[in-house]
Every structure is written in structure tokens, then in C-alpha cells.
Amino acid sequence: MDSSTSVNNSSSLHMSQFLLMGLPGIHEWQHWLSLPLALLYLSALGANLLIMITIQHEATLHVPMYHFLGILAVVDIGLATTIMPKILAIFWLDAKAISLPECFVQIYVIHFFICMESGIFLCMAVDRYIAICHALQYPSIVTEAFVVKATGFMVLRNGLLTIPVPVLAAQRHYCSRNEIDHCLCSNLGVISLACDDITVNKFYQLILAWILTGSDMALVFSSYALILHSVLKLNSPEAISKALSTCSSHLILTLFFYTGIIVLSVTHLAGKKIPLIPVLLNVLHNVIPPALNPMVYALRMHELRLGFQRLLGLGGDVPTK
């Protein structure tokens, strides 16, 4: 197989491209997984586009909570689209080659969108905390300007803090193997091929994962703990039910997202013994949340469900509650 290498003056080999080998241990029949993965991807695209169009179309949904949901839909589409076309090309067309610049760009975009998803979950948790625990101040605090500023801060934070990941990877010296046992350009999978020391790369990856997403996770669950504490002090069962119903969809998806990150981190430690597990979980964690998020919101949020019905012409003019 052509590894597209060139020889420099010191006779060291420098890679001009990597080969994404796919799922380790099951290369012969991994193409059978392409159908469920393609269906997940199409589901993620269709459902998130439907959410974006519905929020844009329905005037009753032009409130901060749904604006954040629309932004999450954009992030989900970006995350799934970053990896799935290349994965399907590997499975269907055996298009394993990817240039080094393309690989480093993919590393950056994956990290950016995952951190953005975490950041938007935090914004949504803060929105619900203010709405429930400081209801009287909510209209003056959470405004259109608040949504723009919070989103802009997350874009700036994640855009800047993830830059060192591909930059550090690009500075490594790749001189021997160019075959990555993965379906995508995983940072750890790429730098494991380097011929020089990768301690700094691993350290920054750890810092980014546990400081940035870890702090988001702590703040998200702190917000929901404060919400729960505040709700339980209410005397009205109806008010308690309404508050918990409002937060349940956010909490379900947040738990799924952060549990996936933790499981992925733990299974990566056993990757040398069972390399397929962390690779498969990595792929699924980048495509299942984008497909799952719209379904949970559609099932749990009454106003959004009514918006879907009106947009699709199902049930005529359904009154809102």
C-alpha cells in the first residue's frame, strides 16, 4: 500500500499522509457497520435541521431556551459531519488516505465541537437555573444579548483553547508507520505514530479534557443540584412537576454526554488490550448524541413538539398550553 513518503537529506522518512485503517480487529467486515452509522448520521442531520427550521419558523419559540437549543443543533450537525463522510468513504470506497494537514484540521474541529457541545450544555443549565431559582429576574438577565454573549464566549474559549492540540501534533516528527488504527484522526492515535517525545501532547490533552470539559460538567451538575434544592422547597406539586419536566430533557442528555466522555477516557486506558472498544466508542460518541438530542427534546418539550406538528402540517392548528 502506498504510504506516500519522501526521503530527506538525513535519510529519515517523512510522512505526507496517514492511512485510516478503520475499526481495529474487524477490518474484513467493518463495512457492515456502515449502514447503521449512515442511518444515525442521516437521522442526526434531518432531526437537527428540523429543530433549527422549527425554531426559526415558530414565533413562540423565539426565546433564549430555544435559541440555545438551535445553537446545539448547529453544533451537533458540525460534529457529525466532521467525521461521518470520511468514515463512510473508508467503509464503502476504501478511501483510507488523509493528508497530514487534513488530519490536523479534523483533530481541531472534533475537539472544538465537543467542547462547544459541553459549553452549550452549560449555557442551557445556567438558563434553567436562572429561570427556576430567580424567576422574577429572568427576563432582565437572560435576554437576546445574553444568548449572543454566552455563545460568543464559548466560541472564543473553545476556538482558542483547542488550537494547541493540532499545533502540538503537527510539530511532532512522523518517520515510520503511517497507519492509524482508527476511523478518524484521533489526537492520541495520531501522536502515537510520532518518533519523538509526546509528553507535552498528552499533558495538554489531559488538561483540555479535565479542566475545560471537567469544569463545565461540575458547573452543569451544580446548577441542577441548586435547581433540585430550590424546587423541593416549593409547596405546589404542580409547580414541582412543571419545573422538573422542563429540566429533565436537559439533564438526560447532559448525563449521557458526560458519561460518554468518562467511559471513553476509562476505556482508552485498556485500549492496548482491546483496541476496538475505545475506537468504536469514540466514533459512536461523535454521532449518537447528535442523533439522540433532537429525539429527546422532541419527546420531552411540548412547545417544540407542537411546532413540529404545525411545520409538518400534522394535526392542523394545535393550541399551545
Side-chain angles (χ1 to χ4, degrees), residues 1-14:
M1 209 175 277
D2 182 16
S3 61
S4 296
T5 59
S6 59
V7 183
N8 68 0
N9 292 333
S10 61
S11 298
S12 296
L13 292 176
H14 290 273

Side-chain angles (χ1 to χ4, degrees), residues 234-251:
L234 299 174
N235 294 323
S236 169
E238 183 180 349
I240 293 175
S241 175
K242 183 177 180 180
L244 293 178
S245 177
T246 302
C247 294
S248 61
S249 54
H250 302 297
L251 189 55

Side-chain angles (χ1 to χ4, degrees), residues 48-60:
N48 283 291
L49 283 172
L50 181 60
I51 280 185
M52 292 165 58
I53 295 170
T54 302
I55 293 172
Q56 178 66 29
H57 183 264
E58 290 292 318
T60 57

Side-chain angles (χ1 to χ4, degrees), residues 168 171-172 191 197-206:
L168 289 170
Q171 290 177 343
R172 299 283 67 84
I191 62 175
D197 185 49
I198 59 173
T199 303
V200 174
N201 301 68
K202 288 184 174 181
F203 179 74
Y204 193 82
Q205 177 83 25
L206 185 67

Side-chain angles (χ1 to χ4, degrees), residues 35-321:
L35 181 58
L37 287 176
L39 291 176
L40 274 174
Y41 177 53
L42 292 175
S43 173
L45 285 183
N48 283 291
L49 283 172
L50 181 60
I51 280 185
M52 292 165 58
I53 295 170
T54 302
I55 293 172
Q56 178 66 29
H57 183 264
E58 290 292 318
T60 57
L61 302 182
H62 293 175
V63 294
M65 180 175 69
Y66 289 104
H67 287 324
F68 282 127
L69 181 56
I71 295 166
L72 181 65
V74 174
V75 171
D76 282 338
I77 289 174
L79 179 59
T81 302
T82 299
I83 68 163
M84 283 310 304
K86 182 61 180 178
I87 290 176
L88 295 177
I90 293 170
F91 289 170
W92 290 342
L93 307 174
D94 202 34
K96 298 177 181 178
I98 184 169
S99 70
L100 268 65
E102 289 175 332
C103 191
F104 297 139
V105 167
Q106 190 182 68
I107 289 174
Y108 174 75
V109 176
I110 289 172
H111 281 78
F112 172 75
F113 278 126
I114 287 177
C115 291
M116 274 300 297
E117 184 133 356
S118 176
I120 297 302
F121 277 134
L122 175 58
C123 291
M124 296 172 81
V126 171
D127 171 76
R128 290 300 85 203
Y129 165 73
I130 298 174
I132 293 172
C133 299
H134 302 280
L136 295 179
Q137 291 80 27
Y138 179 79
S140 61
I141 297 175
V142 184
T143 61
E144 299 287 338
F146 176 88
V147 174
V148 172
K149 290 176 182 178
T151 305
F153 172 76
M154 288 301 170
V155 170
L156 190 63
R157 182 197 74 166
N158 300 321
L160 293 177
L161 291 180
T162 53
I163 287 175
V165 178
V167 169
L168 289 170
Q171 290 177 343
R172 299 283 67 84
H173 184 62
Y174 302 96
C175 60
S176 53
R177 282 197 315 120
N178 71 333
E179 295 181 351
I180 304 172
D181 282 330
H182 213 308
C183 302
L184 51 89
C185 284
S186 159
N187 182 49
L188 295 178
V190 170
I191 62 175
S192 66
L193 302 179
C195 302
D196 49 355
D197 185 49
I198 59 173
T199 303
V200 174
N201 301 68
K202 288 184 174 181
F203 179 74
Y204 193 82
Q205 177 83 25
L206 185 67
I207 291 294
L208 191 67
W210 291 108
I211 300 300
L212 198 152
T213 56
S215 62
D216 284 352
M217 180 171 62
L219 290 170
V220 165
F221 290 124
S222 296
S223 297
Y224 286 120
L226 291 171
I227 289 171
L228 183 61
H229 180 263
S230 178
V231 164
L232 292 178
K233 291 196 293 186
L234 299 174
N235 294 323
S236 169
E238 183 180 349
I240 293 175
S241 175
K242 183 177 180 180
L244 293 178
S245 177
T246 302
C247 294
S248 61
S249 54
H250 302 297
L251 189 55
I252 289 169
L253 296 174
T254 301
L255 281 169
F256 183 83
F257 177 76
Y258 287 116
T259 300
I261 290 179
I262 293 170
V263 170
L264 188 59
S265 301
V266 172
T267 54
H268 183 80
L269 299 176
K272 291 184 179 179
K273 295 181 181 179
I274 316 173
L276 173 63
I277 300 302
V279 171
L280 186 58
L281 286 177
N282 197 348
V283 172
L284 293 177
H285 187 258
N286 288 333
V287 72
I288 288 182
L292 180 67
N293 291 349
M295 296 178 187
V296 173
Y297 283 120
L299 290 173
R300 302 290 302 178
M301 302 180 82
H302 179 72
E303 294 83 358
L304 186 63
R305 196 162 60 248
L306 292 179
F308 287 156
Q309 292 175 8
R310 283 192 287 267
L311 183 68
L312 299 174
L314 302 175
D317 293 329
V318 185
T320 58
K321 288 186 179 181

